[in-house]
Structure formats: C-alpha cells, structure tokens
Amino acid sequence: MGKRGSRSQSQLLNTLTKKQKKHLRDFGEEHPFYDRVSRKEAKPQICQLSESSDSSDSESESESEPEQVSGYHKLLATLKNVSDEEEEDEEEEEEDSIVDDAEMNDEDGGSDVSVEEEMAAESTESPENVALSADPEGKEDGEGPPGTSQASPEEFTDAKHESLFSLETNFLEEESGDNSSLKASQDPFLQHVNKELKEKEIQAVATNPQTTHELKWPILGQLVFSSKFQKLETCKPPKDIDLKSLHLQKPLESTWTKTNSQFLSGPQKSSSPFTPLQKELFLIMNSYRDLFYPKRTALKNGEEIRHVYCLHVINHILKANAQVLGNNSRRRSQKFGVGDDDDFRDQGLTRPKVLIVVPFREAALRVVQLFISLLEGDSKKKIIVSNKKRFQGEYGSDPEERPPNLKRPEDYEAVFVGNIDDHFRIGVAILQRSIRLYAPFYSSDILIASPLGLRTIIGGEGEKKRDFDFLSSIELLIIDQADIYLMQNWEHVLHLMNHMNLLPLDSHGVDFSRVRMWSLNNWSKYYRQTLLFGALQDAQINSVFNKYCVNMQGQVAVRNVPMTGSISHVLVQLPHVFQRMEAENLASVIDARFNFFVNKILPQYRDAVMSHTLIYIPSYFDFVRLRNYFKKEELNFTHICEYTQKSGVSRARHFFLQGEKQFLLFTERFHFYKRYTIKGIRNLIFYELPTYPHFYSEICNMLRATNRGEEATWTCTVLYSKYDAQRLAAVVGVERAAQMLQSKKNVHLFITGEK
C-alpha cells in the first residue's frame, strides 16, 4: 500500500509543471487555477465563528486544532525531498525578508504583536516576533534599554486599526463649495507638489551657479535666500497672520491656538496665535523652502520651535492623506475607463512622507504628545491613539531615577531631561482624527528616529540585512538639535543623508498609476523640504545644508554673526594667548595642528613648574593621537574621555588635583555628557577651539574651583587657524576674530577678569 501510494504521488508530481511545483512548494497547496474540480456538488457546511475569531492569530489556531494532512501536503513533502538544495536557498532568503520586515516596525517590538500585523503576515510567522536589539553594545534581540517596561501582548491587539489607517481602503468626500478650487489653487502644499519640473531644469542644476539674496527680518535677523534653479524668489517678513490665509487643514485652525497658548501672553494672545519667532519660521516652512536655523536652544526657544514644526508636519500629512482619500472617492464614483489616470497621481513610491530626527526618546515623546494635542484640541471626543500605553512605558521616564543632588548648569538640565536613550525608531500613522503608534514603517506616514536607530536599519555596504526603501519618498525632513549629533556620531547623519530619496529596490505593493511623475523620475530630492535646527553655526552642519538641500523652492539660512564672544563670560583674571598655526588647506589642518602642538607648545610645558596642565581636546581622534604620543614619550599624564569608567575618572581627578600627574587630557564629549568640575587647574591648553562657545568660559572658570592664591601663575593657550573662523568669532566676537585673521601676528593676548 505504501509503495502504491508513493508511486501515485510521484506520478501526480510528474504531471505538474515547473510553475505548479514552485507554488506547491511555497504555499503547500496547488494553485486554485489548476484545481481539479469534481463533478459532484459538495454539500455546503455551516460553521459558527466565535466572537474573538476575527482577532485570533494563526499561531493560536494551529495550537488549538491540529491540521489534517492533505494529499497536497504529502506531495509537498515528496517535492521537498527531491529538491533539498533549492529549498535551503529559498528558506535563507525567506528568513532574511522576515528579519528585514521585523526591523522596519521597531527594535523594541519583540513581545508586543498587534493583530493587524499578524494578519498582514498571511499565516506565516509574524515578522514582529523577530526584533532588532535596541542596545548598541550587542545585547540579545528583544531586550529593551534600561528603564523601559515591556508590556504584555494582550494590550496591543488592535485589529480594527489596520483597515482604519489604510489609505487604499478609506474614502473621503470631496469638499463642497464654490471656492474649493480657489482654495486649492492658493494652497502652498498643492502648489508645491503639483509643480512640474522640466528635464532641462534638472540637468542645469549641476552647472548653475548658486544665486543668493540677503534680507533682514525683525526676529530671525540676517537671512540668506539661495537657489540653484534659475528663478530665486524671496519673501518679506509677515506683519499680521490670519489663520485662514495659512490654509491649515481642519481641525488645526481651532486646536493650534490652545496647543500654543503656553507661549502667548497678554495682548499677544488675542492678536496672533503665533509668537513673533514662530510667525517668521512658519512663513518660511509653509512656503516649502529649506530652512537652517542655528539659534535653537533647549533652554530658551526649543519647545517654541518644536510646536511650530509639529504644526507644519500635521498640516502636511492631513493634506496629503486627504488628497489620497478624496481621489479614492472620485475613482469609486467614476465609471470604468472614464478619466485620466494622471489626475489621480497623489502618492510617492512608499507611504512614509515625513522623517523627524531627534536625539533622545524624550524628544520623540514630546513630538507625539504634540501630535495628539493638535488633533484633539478642545474637542470632548478623544481621538483614537493605538498602543499609547506601550509608548508611554518605553519613551517615558521615572523622575525618581534621576539623582536628587545632581547639580549641573541649566542648559545641561534642559538637554538631558527625561529618557535620554539615543537608540530608537517608531512609525506613526495618521488618518483623519486617529493616530496609530508603532505602525510598520511601510504603513506609516511619519517616522521618528534617532541617527543611531536609523543607522542600524539602513546598514552599510556589503551587509546582508539592510533596508532604506522607506526613505525613498520622504517629502519633509526635520533634523532637530543637530548640534547634539556632533557629540553623538556625525557619521550617522551623513550616512542618512546619502540614502535619502533613492529609488526603492522593491515595489512594496505600490500602485504605480497613483505615483507622482516626479517621484517616478527620481526627482524627489528636488521636492523634499529640509528643516535643520541647531544651537550653533558649525562647518559640518553648514556642509550638510549646502550639499544635500536642493529644494526647487530654494533655501533660507539664518546667518547672524556673534558681536560679543563667550570670552566675556570668563570671570577669572586670566591671560588668554591665541596662537595661530598655518595650514595649506583644510585637509592638512589636523596634521598641522599636531605638529605645531608637539614642536611649539608642548616644550613650554614640560618643565615641572608648569604642572597641573589641562589639555582640552574636542575631537576624539586627536585625543587618541595625543594619548599615544604621551605614552611614547613617557610623559607624566592621565586622561579622561567619554569611554573612561567611573573609577578611572575618580583616580584621574585625584591624581591631577594632588599634582601626581602633570598633564590631564580631557575630551569635549566627556564634558558635554558629564559637566564635572575639574579641580587643580593652573594651566589651560585648548588644542582646538570648543564646538560650543560657552564651553570656553566654563572651562576657564574651573580655575576658581581651587583658589589658593595662585592667580598670578595661571595661563591659557589657544590654538587656531584660518579655518576656525566661525568658532573663533563665537569665542572672541566677530570684530576681534576678523582682526586676528587679517593680522600678520601669530600671537594675540587678551586678559579677562581685570579689576
């Protein structure tokens, strides 16, 4: 009987075509098109489904009721035995795709599986069960960062939200009224996305010189408008803003006033819903120009700026989704074959439209809270927020975790507040008055992530598991607190920018008849708006803005020069000696600085009289180079960097204070993250000017920590070159910096704290 059964199975297998065998091997059944239909009519069977059947997953069904083995599955087993080698190759590819899909959702989603995501898996193992570790040190997958809580899977079974947030299956009635076409023609969103570039204009961008125009606005100050396209348009500062003239999507006209009320007071609250700074910023944002604002500080205007760019993000998403849903309704109402498909081109190659890059989870938490506030407002009816409890647990913080006696500067407290984990990414889907958190990336409208969180999923050349297709159709890129990324890893930001708006490697189920032509032509980067906010003017941040921002609407950069430098905040009586070094070009500055320090500066401090010398080093690579040189020369030194253990820091501070170690190598990143007061400093050497101008005065004022009547012997030496013009101006002021750079003298002396 067994031989006869196996012979009949092999005969049936031989009758199948190669395509039928592949389908049989992949899905465990013969394709419905090739089913052998029996002439006998089968009696219909009536099945009663339980109430929870819609939300039950495939795994629970397989556990509760064993599946009967059909003849097709027996054939499948025979087929597997025949082609083991081919099956192994396909299994490897399938596993890779499962892991890639899991990394798209969230690195912390190992145990929190939504029912709609299981349904999307189509009876395969849910890819959300395979999670990417959030720990950069290489902990096991699924283990969250310290202090985060992993909730039970039952809390996040929101099956109804899959259809609720689908752009393909929802509809929106078209706006009625005689002035709807007039509003559409004046809407800056529609003007931007509907503007068609020509092939000649794109080709000319590479060769066209950049045209610039400068204007001075009351609050922002000196603005530089620039563009590589032929026509450069500028705009005047706003006087009075009417919410209706801004073309805000409902319900933002009513919710914005309440959300932004904390920044408004007195007569300003009744006259305008914006602060003067927000008014000028939003006018530029709403014109879809690229913007670089280098005066964003966590202590002063950080939240004010976050509010206004969140308004712009929600306004953009609501308009984009309303356009898609409106076209869905139009297509449904039209007869088959009537109408031009180009009228319905309203999407990109992938769904994510907005990417917000923030440094810490606390910033992501505040952004999402603003989204909820902007959609709710005064309405008594609460909006639907999926997975809110899980989000609060993973992105919130416990106030008791912070040491109560920790005394740090105000700007430090403002930056490092809340959950400061820097490895995260989360997808957010918004449809009408509902928000879905932890949406899969390719079902999300907004992506909120840190540079490290994006770097681990984008991957690098040669890596097998990498994906960056979700960046292909980003229309609005916001990089907030860009200066902090200089202290984290700037390479992650450059890596992200190099993968923005590339053609995707997979279609991801897109309807190409709905994709805009400029997206199909790979011109998305010319339509992408980039908003860059930071706390300082820096050459690396300027380089990103100048190189990667090629918006056809043009660029706007705030270029205010510091009239008074941070040296004015030095409170101790101290001579500051600025020594200029010469370098042929920017690439040779690193070697020129090292040679100048070793040959000219260090010999002056080798004497035992010049003890208690702290050397401040902004770059970690320079720190490693100097540390190796000091070891080679057997100099009496100790060092503190951002990777030094707490015990090592305590020993180094003790040895330096007691004079047992003559030199202390001290990195800028350690000072940024810890802000310890180093006692015992008598001589200061700034190997390079600080990235943050106020660090200069903070380090100099540390000399007051051990005042033993040695003020007369204190010294401060600073190395600089002509390529440090921005940092020099921030420390000594623009007028002094110009004189120092134009002067033929290589040594300049300033004395602070004179009585």
Side-chain angles (χ1 to χ4, degrees), residues 241-254:
I241 287 187
D242 181 14
L243 283 177
K244 295 182 179 180
S245 65
L246 297 177
H247 300 274
L248 295 180
Q249 193 78 358
K250 294 180 181 180
L252 298 179
E253 289 186 9
S254 58

Side-chain angles (χ1 to χ4, degrees), residues 310-328:
C310 284
L311 171 66
H312 182 53
V313 167
I314 293 295
N315 190 39
H316 180 86
I317 292 298
L318 292 180
K319 288 181 179 180
N321 288 350
Q323 186 182 32
V324 174
L325 299 180
N327 285 339
N328 289 349

Side-chain angles (χ1 to χ4, degrees), residues 16-17 19-20 23 30-37 72:
L16 299 178
T17 64
K19 188 174 181 180
Q20 294 171 355
H23 187 88
E30 199 171 11
H31 195 283
F33 182 80
Y34 303 105
D35 281 350
R36 295 167 177 81
V37 182
Y72 288 132

Side-chain angles (χ1 to χ4, degrees), residues 654-722:
H654 174 74
F655 292 153
F656 184 72
L657 176 62
Q658 299 301 325
E660 298 180 24
K661 299 294 183 181
Q662 183 178 356
F663 296 98
L664 172 61
L665 303 182
F666 188 78
T667 64
E668 182 175 70
R669 289 179 66 189
F670 176 84
H671 182 66
F672 174 80
Y673 283 106
K674 299 299 183 182
R675 299 290 182 93
Y676 288 175
T677 298
I678 306 299
K679 297 181 179 180
I681 304 174
R682 297 180 189 173
N683 305 290
L684 265 176
I685 300 177
F686 285 90
Y687 186 78
E688 185 181 0
L689 286 162
T691 304
Y692 287 90
H694 64 277
F695 282 3
Y696 184 87
S697 58
E698 284 185 11
I699 299 296
C700 290
N701 289 330
M702 286 182 185
L703 275 72
R704 297 187 302 170
T706 52
N707 191 351
R708 300 173 181 175
E710 302 163 344
E711 294 89 342
T713 61
W714 288 346
T715 65
C716 178
T717 303
V718 185
L719 278 64
Y720 75 97
S721 70
K722 63 180 180 180

Side-chain angles (χ1 to χ4, degrees), residues 483 486-487 536-538 616 618 668 689-693 695 727:
D483 53 287
L486 296 172
M487 300 293 109
L536 50 88
Q537 294 271 10
D538 187 85
Y616 181 91
E668 182 175 70
L689 286 162
T691 304
Y692 287 90
F695 282 3
R727 294 188 180 186

